[in-house]
Amino acid sequence: MPTTLITGCSSGIGLATARALKAAGHEVWATARSAEAVARLAAEGFTARALDVTCPTAVQALAAELPALDVLINNAGYGAIGPLLDLPDSTLRAQFDTNVLGLLAVTRACLPALRARRGLVVNVGSVSALLVTPYAGAYCASKAAVHALSDALRMELAPLAVRVMEVQPGAIGTQFAANAGAQAELALREGSPWWPLREHIRERARASQQHGSAPEAVAAAILRALPRPPRVLRVGRGSRALPWLARWLPKALLEGLLRRRYGL
């Protein structure tokens, strides 16, 4: 029975993937930050653990429980939405602590267990790593970092027989937009030069979920890919079209379209 650890399982992609892999016969260690979410996961039959990926002590304690690990899925993350220069340093640090440094901390701590099984690291990125939009600069930058780190880890872990796959979802119907909207409201303030554009900022917070694919589609794609994982797995609405636009449209044209859409 394969053993899989998944971070960020309170809802969305993490929860859907935990359920799909458990149904496929994996022993799933499902983690979440809140005690309430952990209790729900335990009630579903997962090996449930509380985990804040930004807490080194918690990360090390969880890794110590895992003598061997077949799959690590770094899914924990969120989106800080708002004009970059309106975001306080604490918000920017929290964005990278969770989406980037937390991913590295968990992978580092789990490396001995992964080596014991010639395991697989799955990093959940985003097409936002490739197509940067206004008002999501912090989130896009964090996912661009995940993309670069995944490429570097793939090469560095190859001699250790540990593989790396990056998942780049498009629009997915999860709690992401609601959480991003709450983050956007925290950034909005009347004295900002972007205050007159506040409805466009709110629109960007909602955009990640508009007509989104079900998180179960991402979970199913990850499950299918596990036997022969590609370097990058794209799934969900816009996951192929948006990177294509970012690659082939002239930058000036693309930026002009995005500026027009978001009131700039």
Side-chain angles (χ1 to χ4, degrees):
M1 175 186 293
T3 300
T4 297
L5 170 64
I6 308 175
T7 66
C9 292
S10 60
S11 63
I13 292 172
L15 179 57
T17 304
R19 287 170 172 166
L21 268 60
K22 182 174 181 290
H26 287 235
E27 178 189 358
V28 177
W29 290 57
T31 73
R33 287 192 302 172
S34 75
E36 185 179 359
V38 173
R40 290 198 306 269
L41 292 167
E44 285 199 39
F46 299 109
T47 303
R49 294 289 186 273
L51 180 65
D52 180 346
V53 299
T54 68
C55 176
T57 303
V59 170
Q60 289 295 333
L62 177 59
E65 292 190 67
L66 294 163
L69 185 62
D70 295 280
V71 182
L72 166 63
I73 301 180
N74 286 308
N75 171 71
Y78 76 101
I81 299 297
L84 273 172
L85 300 186
D86 275 356
L87 297 178
D89 288 348
S90 58
T91 297
L92 294 169
R93 290 191 183 99
Q95 180 73 108
F96 280 81
D97 281 348
T98 300
N99 291 12
V100 181
L101 300 180
L103 177 153
L104 284 175
V106 174
T107 305
R108 183 187 301 114
C110 291
L111 180 57
L114 287 163
R115 291 187 70 183
R117 291 275 180 86
R118 301 170 68 90
L120 170 67
V121 177
V122 179
N123 294 329
V124 178
S126 171
V127 293
S128 295
L130 306 176
L131 182 69
V132 177
T133 58
Y135 314 133
Y139 176 70
C140 293
S142 73
K143 290 304 184 179
V146 170
H147 180 59
L149 292 173
S150 297
D151 283 351
L153 283 170
R154 188 179 300 109
M155 292 182 282
E156 293 172 2
L157 293 177
L160 308 181
V162 175
R163 297 158 296 158
V164 176
M165 176 175 75
E166 182 192 357
V167 182
Q168 291 183 349
I172 305 297
T174 69
Q175 291 298 312
F176 180 93
N179 296 335
Q183 289 288 324
E185 293 301 321
L186 291 175
L188 292 171
R189 54 185 178 82
E190 287 193 38
S192 166
W194 294 278
W195 176 253
L197 302 173
R198 58 192 178 278
E199 290 305 321
H200 292 286
I201 297 171
R202 290 171 175 139
E203 180 190 354
R204 176 59 189 88
R206 294 189 296 267
S208 299
Q209 210 170 336
Q210 290 174 342
H211 310 293
S213 303
E216 288 76 14
V218 182
I222 291 173
L223 178 60
R224 288 193 301 270
L226 291 183
R228 299 185 63 182
R231 288 173 172 79
V232 176
L233 175 66
R234 291 181 179 143
V235 59
R237 183 175 177 269
S239 63
R240 291 174 176 80
L242 294 179
W244 187 92
L245 290 174
R247 179 175 182 180
W248 295 109
L249 277 189
K251 279 291 185 183
L253 174 59
L254 181 59
E255 289 177 5
L257 292 171
L258 289 168
R259 285 171 57 192
R260 183 181 305 173
R261 177 176 178 183
Y262 292 111
L264 295 164

